Amino acid sequence: MHPAPFPVPRLRRTRRNPALRALTRETRLAPSDLIWPVFLCEGTDCATPVASMPGVARLSIDRVVAAAGEARDLGIPALCLFPYTDPARRTADCAEAWRPDNLTNRAIRAVKDAVPEIAVMTDVALDPYNIDGHDGFVRDGVIVNDETVAALVKMALAQARAGADILGPSDMMDGRIGAIRTALEEEGHGDVAIMSYAAKFASAYYGPFRDAVGAAGRLTGDKATYQIDPGNAEEALRCVARDLSEGADMVMVKPGQPYLDICARVRDRFEVPTFAYQVSGEYAMLRGAIDQGWLDGERVILESLAAFKRAGCDGVLTYFAPDAARMMAAAR
Ligand code: PBG
């Protein structure tokens, strides 16, 4: 609080010029705050555009390795891999999810071989492998929890064996963090980190992602029985507390911008590494308006990302990662 009345406090004094603004800026965005989500596809030298995410393509493994090199050169510390699974390999038992040589596991090995300094994060959930697009097994119309967790453990172990640095369980089943953490310890992967999608809401902002991984047309019903209701903040905090107690090293809030209140409350309450996912729908909205000339791309991308830092996040998963890092490099 300012004790004296105007004109003693003139808050514009520190905004007068760029030097004063730089000195008084409270939060700063850096390439090291970013995790770059990339979509994988089979083939070589292949980039298939995702229609609902202009500027984003599914990449073959050789292209992902090139992207990893680009990330390293731009100062982006991590890539997060999401597979587009061949429809023939999507089954009710989701066995492709833990096959040692599935697309994701081959990509993990290829990136870690070629660009070891890049941290590889994965997605742990069954939706890219499931015939009905759900993150868990479906029995009589119900997404069953405990059987799904047993499958997620197999999937997580296969990713850890392939060399993943960070596992990202995004499925929202109960008990999966503890089960994965125990299995990792038992198999000698005690150093593998878990970034739990702890506060993941049942959101309409995931639409373009489901196109990208080929789950959109398959999804029967919605994910409201496992993802959090968008009206619930206290429940999101309980999910974070639970996942931390089960062995998560980092937690995520998802989507990002519509849930900045959750980001701020998670960081304040738990003081653990907290990340936001600026999801596909947020990307599509900004990219669409930028491409129309309705928003200034350079400014709005950096502003949208800096907001996560101001809310208390340690970092952001964003499809804008390489663009944003290039803008930051040019601004220096
Ligand atoms: C599913 C998963 C989703 C995203 C990441 N992992 C979608 C969903 O829950 O349906 C969304 C990411 C995005 O929208 O960018 N396991």
Side-chain angles (χ1 to χ4, degrees):
M1 281 295 287
H2 284 278
F6 179 82
V8 176
R10 283 187 185 272
L11 293 173
R12 288 183 58 189
R13 284 180 201 123
T14 54
R15 301 177 198 145
R16 240 175 82 218
N17 60 40
L20 288 168
R21 291 196 293 275
L23 285 171
T24 55
R25 189 161 298 131
E26 297 172 35
T27 44
R28 257 171 251 280
L29 185 67
S32 58
D33 298 321
L34 306 178
I35 298 175
W36 182 8
V38 295
F39 298 111
L40 311 170
C41 63
E42 295 290 353
T44 33
D45 196 24
C46 170
T48 315
V50 179
S52 49
M53 301 178 73
V56 172
R58 301 176 191 133
L59 304 176
S60 52
I61 289 178
D62 54 319
R63 292 285 196 104
V64 171
V65 168
E70 196 185 338
R72 174 198 52 208
D73 296 345
L74 288 165
I76 297 168
L79 249 52
C80 184
L81 309 179
F82 293 99
Y84 174 87
T85 307
D86 180 349
R89 292 191 178 273
R90 296 177 199 240
T91 56
D93 68 2
C94 303
E96 181 67 7
W98 51 91
R99 197 166 62 85
D101 274 325
N102 72 15
L103 182 57
T104 298
N105 294 331
R106 277 180 282 132
I108 296 168
R109 286 192 212 97
V111 170
K112 292 307 296 185
D113 272 354
V115 197
E117 6 355 12
I118 287 288
V120 174
M121 175 168 165
T122 60
D123 187 57
V124 184
L126 300 181
D127 52 324
Y129 308 100
N130 208 344
I131 38 168
D132 36 30
H134 277 290
D135 293 21
F137 294 127
V138 186
R139 303 261 183 271
D140 301 325
V142 174
I143 289 71
V144 293
N145 194 88
D146 300 7
E147 273 176 70
T148 299
V149 169
L152 296 171
V153 166
K154 290 194 269 183
M155 182 177 182
L157 284 175
Q159 295 172 347
R161 288 174 201 139
D165 298 287
I166 306 170
L167 306 183
S170 69
D171 54 282
M172 291 298 283
M173 297 300 120
D174 287 319
R176 88 274 205 218
I177 301 299
I180 292 171
R181 178 52 75 211
T182 302
L184 289 172
E185 286 291 340
E186 281 172 4
E187 212 189 84
H189 304 293
D191 289 339
V192 174
I194 298 177
M195 184 189 294
S196 163
Y197 288 61
K200 177 169 178 179
F201 290 86
S203 173
Y205 286 90
Y206 307 146
F209 172 96
R210 293 177 190 168
D211 291 338
V213 299
R218 287 181 177 76
L219 186 62
T220 47
D222 58 31
K223 300 193 178 183
T225 68
Y226 45 108
Q227 300 177 346
I228 305 171
D229 188 283
N232 293 359
E234 302 300 334
E235 184 183 345
L237 297 175
R238 286 202 293 280
C239 287
V240 171
R242 189 266 318 264
D243 286 3
L244 289 170
S245 76
E246 290 185 12
D249 305 283
M250 303 172 260
V251 294
M252 190 203 295
V253 176
K254 175 181 177 199
Q257 190 164 313
Y259 296 86
L260 283 180
D261 57 323
I262 309 294
C263 295
R265 292 181 67 182
V266 167
R267 193 68 182 72
D268 281 353
R269 179 166 310 182
F270 299 102
E271 298 179 319
V272 297
T274 302
F275 292 78
Y277 198 143
Q278 183 181 53
V279 299
S280 57
E282 297 173 70
Y283 174 88
M285 289 194 304
L286 290 173
R287 176 58 77 195
I290 293 163
D291 290 350
Q292 293 290 328
W294 296 336
L295 288 173
D296 175 340
E298 180 125 345
R299 292 185 54 206
V300 80
I301 289 169
L302 295 179
E303 182 181 335
S304 72
L305 295 172
F308 293 111
K309 296 291 300 284
R310 191 192 60 241
C313 291
D314 297 275
V316 191
L317 288 91
T318 175
Y319 302 98
F320 288 119
D323 291 341
R326 269 189 293 270
M327 290 173 205
M328 290 182 240
R332 258 187 295 131

mmCIF file of all heavy atoms in Angstrom, residues 91-115:
data_model
loop_
_atom_site.group_PDB
_atom_site.id
_atom_site.type_symbol
_atom_site.label_atom_id
_atom_site.label_comp_id
_atom_site.label_asym_id
_atom_site.label_seq_id
_atom_site.Cartn_x
_atom_site.Cartn_y
_atom_site.Cartn_z
ATOM 1 N N THR A 91 -6.605 -50.770 -30.778
ATOM 2 C CA THR A 91 -7.401 -51.940 -30.405
ATOM 3 C C THR A 91 -8.057 -51.693 -29.052
ATOM 4 O O THR A 91 -7.679 -50.775 -28.321
ATOM 5 C CB THR A 91 -6.496 -53.185 -30.287
ATOM 6 O OG1 THR A 91 -5.458 -52.882 -29.345
ATOM 7 C CG2 THR A 91 -5.877 -53.552 -31.624
ATOM 8 N N ALA A 92 -9.019 -52.567 -28.711
ATOM 9 C CA ALA A 92 -9.686 -52.424 -27.414
ATOM 10 C C ALA A 92 -8.718 -52.706 -26.268
ATOM 11 O O ALA A 92 -8.851 -52.145 -25.185
ATOM 12 C CB ALA A 92 -10.880 -53.357 -27.337
ATOM 13 N N ASP A 93 -7.700 -53.563 -26.504
ATOM 14 C CA ASP A 93 -6.765 -53.853 -25.400
ATOM 15 C C ASP A 93 -5.566 -52.897 -25.365
ATOM 16 O O ASP A 93 -4.754 -52.951 -24.454
ATOM 17 C CB ASP A 93 -6.293 -55.315 -25.444
ATOM 18 C CG ASP A 93 -5.393 -55.618 -26.651
ATOM 19 O OD1 ASP A 93 -5.083 -54.696 -27.448
ATOM 20 O OD2 ASP A 93 -4.998 -56.797 -26.806
ATOM 21 N N CYS A 94 -5.461 -52.010 -26.357
ATOM 22 C CA CYS A 94 -4.446 -50.941 -26.377
ATOM 23 C C CYS A 94 -3.008 -51.464 -26.275
ATOM 24 O O CYS A 94 -2.113 -50.751 -25.803
ATOM 25 C CB CYS A 94 -4.675 -49.920 -25.264
ATOM 26 S SG CYS A 94 -6.289 -49.132 -25.296
ATOM 27 N N ALA A 95 -2.769 -52.693 -26.726
ATOM 28 C CA ALA A 95 -1.456 -53.311 -26.526
ATOM 29 C C ALA A 95 -0.315 -52.526 -27.177
ATOM 30 O O ALA A 95 0.839 -52.602 -26.742
ATOM 31 C CB ALA A 95 -1.472 -54.752 -27.049
ATOM 32 N N GLU A 96 -0.645 -51.764 -28.217
ATOM 33 C CA GLU A 96 0.385 -50.957 -28.870
ATOM 34 C C GLU A 96 1.025 -49.955 -27.898
ATOM 35 O O GLU A 96 2.181 -49.565 -28.072
ATOM 36 C CB GLU A 96 -0.240 -50.217 -30.067
ATOM 37 C CG GLU A 96 0.699 -49.343 -30.867
ATOM 38 C CD GLU A 96 1.781 -50.122 -31.621
ATOM 39 O OE1 GLU A 96 1.757 -51.366 -31.639
ATOM 40 O OE2 GLU A 96 2.674 -49.459 -32.184
ATOM 41 N N ALA A 97 0.272 -49.575 -26.867
ATOM 42 C CA ALA A 97 0.742 -48.536 -25.943
ATOM 43 C C ALA A 97 2.025 -48.933 -25.227
ATOM 44 O O ALA A 97 2.818 -48.062 -24.857
ATOM 45 C CB ALA A 97 -0.353 -48.205 -24.921
ATOM 46 N N TRP A 98 2.231 -50.216 -24.981
ATOM 47 C CA TRP A 98 3.439 -50.642 -24.272
ATOM 48 C C TRP A 98 4.367 -51.500 -25.124
ATOM 49 O O TRP A 98 5.283 -52.140 -24.619
ATOM 50 C CB TRP A 98 3.099 -51.330 -22.941
ATOM 51 C CG TRP A 98 2.081 -52.424 -23.030
ATOM 52 C CD1 TRP A 98 2.330 -53.746 -23.236
ATOM 53 C CD2 TRP A 98 0.658 -52.290 -22.890
ATOM 54 N NE1 TRP A 98 1.134 -54.437 -23.255
ATOM 55 C CE2 TRP A 98 0.091 -53.576 -23.031
ATOM 56 C CE3 TRP A 98 -0.196 -51.202 -22.663
ATOM 57 C CZ2 TRP A 98 -1.279 -53.813 -22.965
ATOM 58 C CZ3 TRP A 98 -1.559 -51.436 -22.593
ATOM 59 C CH2 TRP A 98 -2.086 -52.725 -22.738
ATOM 60 N N ARG A 99 4.151 -51.522 -26.417
ATOM 61 C CA ARG A 99 5.069 -52.264 -27.291
ATOM 62 C C ARG A 99 6.415 -51.526 -27.287
ATOM 63 O O ARG A 99 6.470 -50.320 -27.517
ATOM 64 C CB ARG A 99 4.487 -52.343 -28.704
ATOM 65 C CG ARG A 99 5.138 -53.423 -29.558
ATOM 66 C CD ARG A 99 4.312 -53.682 -30.814
ATOM 67 N NE ARG A 99 4.209 -52.507 -31.684
ATOM 68 C CZ ARG A 99 5.121 -52.167 -32.601
ATOM 69 N NH1 ARG A 99 6.207 -52.898 -32.769
ATOM 70 N NH2 ARG A 99 4.945 -51.086 -33.351
ATOM 71 N N PRO A 100 7.503 -52.247 -27.056
ATOM 72 C CA PRO A 100 8.798 -51.570 -26.921
ATOM 73 C C PRO A 100 9.191 -50.779 -28.173
ATOM 74 O O PRO A 100 9.905 -49.778 -28.056
ATOM 75 C CB PRO A 100 9.791 -52.723 -26.679
ATOM 76 C CG PRO A 100 8.959 -53.866 -26.181
ATOM 77 C CD PRO A 100 7.593 -53.703 -26.758
ATOM 78 N N ASP A 101 8.723 -51.230 -29.333
ATOM 79 C CA ASP A 101 9.108 -50.545 -30.566
ATOM 80 C C ASP A 101 7.986 -49.720 -31.155
ATOM 81 O O ASP A 101 7.971 -49.468 -32.365
ATOM 82 C CB ASP A 101 9.614 -51.563 -31.596
ATOM 83 C CG ASP A 101 11.092 -51.830 -31.387
ATOM 84 O OD1 ASP A 101 11.809 -50.878 -31.004
ATOM 85 O OD2 ASP A 101 11.524 -52.985 -31.573
ATOM 86 N N ASN A 102 7.045 -49.282 -30.339
ATOM 87 C CA ASN A 102 5.996 -48.416 -30.901
ATOM 88 C C ASN A 102 6.603 -47.063 -31.299
ATOM 89 O O ASN A 102 7.775 -46.770 -31.016
ATOM 90 C CB ASN A 102 4.789 -48.307 -29.959
ATOM 91 C CG ASN A 102 5.069 -47.462 -28.724
ATOM 92 O OD1 ASN A 102 6.039 -46.721 -28.658
ATOM 93 N ND2 ASN A 102 4.201 -47.591 -27.729
ATOM 94 N N LEU A 103 5.811 -46.270 -31.975
ATOM 95 C CA LEU A 103 6.318 -45.019 -32.541
ATOM 96 C C LEU A 103 6.961 -44.123 -31.476
ATOM 97 O O LEU A 103 8.074 -43.599 -31.656
ATOM 98 C CB LEU A 103 5.147 -44.303 -33.246
ATOM 99 C CG LEU A 103 5.419 -42.995 -33.957
ATOM 100 C CD1 LEU A 103 6.504 -43.140 -35.016
ATOM 101 C CD2 LEU A 103 4.106 -42.481 -34.612
ATOM 102 N N THR A 104 6.279 -43.958 -30.366
ATOM 103 C CA THR A 104 6.810 -43.096 -29.301
ATOM 104 C C THR A 104 8.145 -43.619 -28.782
ATOM 105 O O THR A 104 9.109 -42.854 -28.627
ATOM 106 C CB THR A 104 5.807 -43.001 -28.132
ATOM 107 O OG1 THR A 104 4.607 -42.402 -28.618
ATOM 108 C CG2 THR A 104 6.363 -42.166 -26.991
ATOM 109 N N ASN A 105 8.214 -44.922 -28.506
ATOM 110 C CA ASN A 105 9.439 -45.459 -27.912
ATOM 111 C C ASN A 105 10.620 -45.382 -28.881
ATOM 112 O O ASN A 105 11.758 -45.108 -28.475
ATOM 113 C CB ASN A 105 9.200 -46.880 -27.404
ATOM 114 C CG ASN A 105 8.213 -46.896 -26.243
ATOM 115 O OD1 ASN A 105 8.126 -45.922 -25.495
ATOM 116 N ND2 ASN A 105 7.459 -47.972 -26.105
ATOM 117 N N ARG A 106 10.340 -45.575 -30.178
ATOM 118 C CA ARG A 106 11.420 -45.399 -31.174
ATOM 119 C C ARG A 106 11.859 -43.937 -31.220
ATOM 120 O O ARG A 106 13.049 -43.637 -31.339
ATOM 121 C CB ARG A 106 10.948 -45.857 -32.555
ATOM 122 C CG ARG A 106 11.065 -47.367 -32.762
ATOM 123 C CD ARG A 106 10.581 -47.774 -34.148
ATOM 124 N NE ARG A 106 9.131 -47.811 -34.208
ATOM 125 C CZ ARG A 106 8.381 -47.257 -35.154
ATOM 126 N NH1 ARG A 106 8.932 -46.617 -36.169
ATOM 127 N NH2 ARG A 106 7.067 -47.341 -35.108
ATOM 128 N N ALA A 107 10.894 -43.033 -31.124
ATOM 129 C CA ALA A 107 11.242 -41.610 -31.177
ATOM 130 C C ALA A 107 12.055 -41.197 -29.949
ATOM 131 O O ALA A 107 13.005 -40.402 -30.057
ATOM 132 C CB ALA A 107 9.965 -40.775 -31.288
ATOM 133 N N ILE A 108 11.690 -41.730 -28.787
ATOM 134 C CA ILE A 108 12.453 -41.400 -27.572
ATOM 135 C C ILE A 108 13.915 -41.785 -27.784
ATOM 136 O O ILE A 108 14.833 -40.988 -27.555
ATOM 137 C CB ILE A 108 11.910 -42.164 -26.330
ATOM 138 C CG1 ILE A 108 10.481 -41.744 -26.007
ATOM 139 C CG2 ILE A 108 12.825 -41.929 -25.126
ATOM 140 C CD1 ILE A 108 9.794 -42.673 -24.987
ATOM 141 N N ARG A 109 14.132 -43.028 -28.247
ATOM 142 C CA ARG A 109 15.515 -43.500 -28.429
ATOM 143 C C ARG A 109 16.247 -42.663 -29.456
ATOM 144 O O ARG A 109 17.413 -42.283 -29.258
ATOM 145 C CB ARG A 109 15.524 -44.972 -28.867
ATOM 146 C CG ARG A 109 15.194 -45.912 -27.749
ATOM 147 C CD ARG A 109 15.490 -47.375 -28.138
ATOM 148 N NE ARG A 109 14.532 -48.224 -27.462
ATOM 149 C CZ ARG A 109 13.410 -48.689 -28.018
ATOM 150 N NH1 ARG A 109 13.144 -48.468 -29.293
ATOM 151 N NH2 ARG A 109 12.573 -49.405 -27.312
ATOM 152 N N ALA A 110 15.552 -42.338 -30.542
ATOM 153 C CA ALA A 110 16.216 -41.572 -31.610
ATOM 154 C C ALA A 110 16.618 -40.184 -31.117
ATOM 155 O O ALA A 110 17.736 -39.719 -31.384
ATOM 156 C CB ALA A 110 15.281 -41.462 -32.820
ATOM 157 N N VAL A 111 15.740 -39.534 -30.379
ATOM 158 C CA VAL A 111 16.063 -38.181 -29.898
ATOM 159 C C VAL A 111 17.185 -38.261 -28.865
ATOM 160 O O VAL A 111 18.142 -37.476 -28.913
ATOM 161 C CB VAL A 111 14.817 -37.480 -29.307
ATOM 162 C CG1 VAL A 111 15.195 -36.189 -28.599
ATOM 163 C CG2 VAL A 111 13.791 -37.198 -30.408
ATOM 164 N N LYS A 112 17.089 -39.200 -27.920
ATOM 165 C CA LYS A 112 18.120 -39.273 -26.878
ATOM 166 C C LYS A 112 19.479 -39.664 -27.461
ATOM 167 O O LYS A 112 20.504 -39.236 -26.958
ATOM 168 C CB LYS A 112 17.713 -40.257 -25.770
ATOM 169 C CG LYS A 112 16.538 -39.824 -24.920
ATOM 170 C CD LYS A 112 16.646 -38.433 -24.273
ATOM 171 C CE LYS A 112 17.749 -38.252 -23.265
ATOM 172 N NZ LYS A 112 17.694 -36.904 -22.612
ATOM 173 N N ASP A 113 19.482 -40.464 -28.534
ATOM 174 C CA ASP A 113 20.750 -40.806 -29.205
ATOM 175 C C ASP A 113 21.371 -39.590 -29.866
ATOM 176 O O ASP A 113 22.565 -39.341 -29.753
ATOM 177 C CB ASP A 113 20.498 -41.832 -30.329
ATOM 178 C CG ASP A 113 20.550 -43.245 -29.804
ATOM 179 O OD1 ASP A 113 20.898 -43.413 -28.617
ATOM 180 O OD2 ASP A 113 20.216 -44.164 -30.588
ATOM 181 N N ALA A 114 20.523 -38.833 -30.585
ATOM 182 C CA ALA A 114 21.054 -37.762 -31.436
ATOM 183 C C ALA A 114 21.256 -36.459 -30.671
ATOM 184 O O ALA A 114 22.192 -35.712 -30.954
ATOM 185 C CB ALA A 114 20.107 -37.531 -32.622
ATOM 186 N N VAL A 115 20.365 -36.172 -29.748
ATOM 187 C CA VAL A 115 20.410 -34.881 -29.038
ATOM 188 C C VAL A 115 20.215 -35.142 -27.541
ATOM 189 O O VAL A 115 19.182 -34.782 -26.958
ATOM 190 C CB VAL A 115 19.316 -33.910 -29.560
ATOM 191 C CG1 VAL A 115 19.615 -32.469 -29.135
ATOM 192 C CG2 VAL A 115 19.174 -33.978 -31.082
#
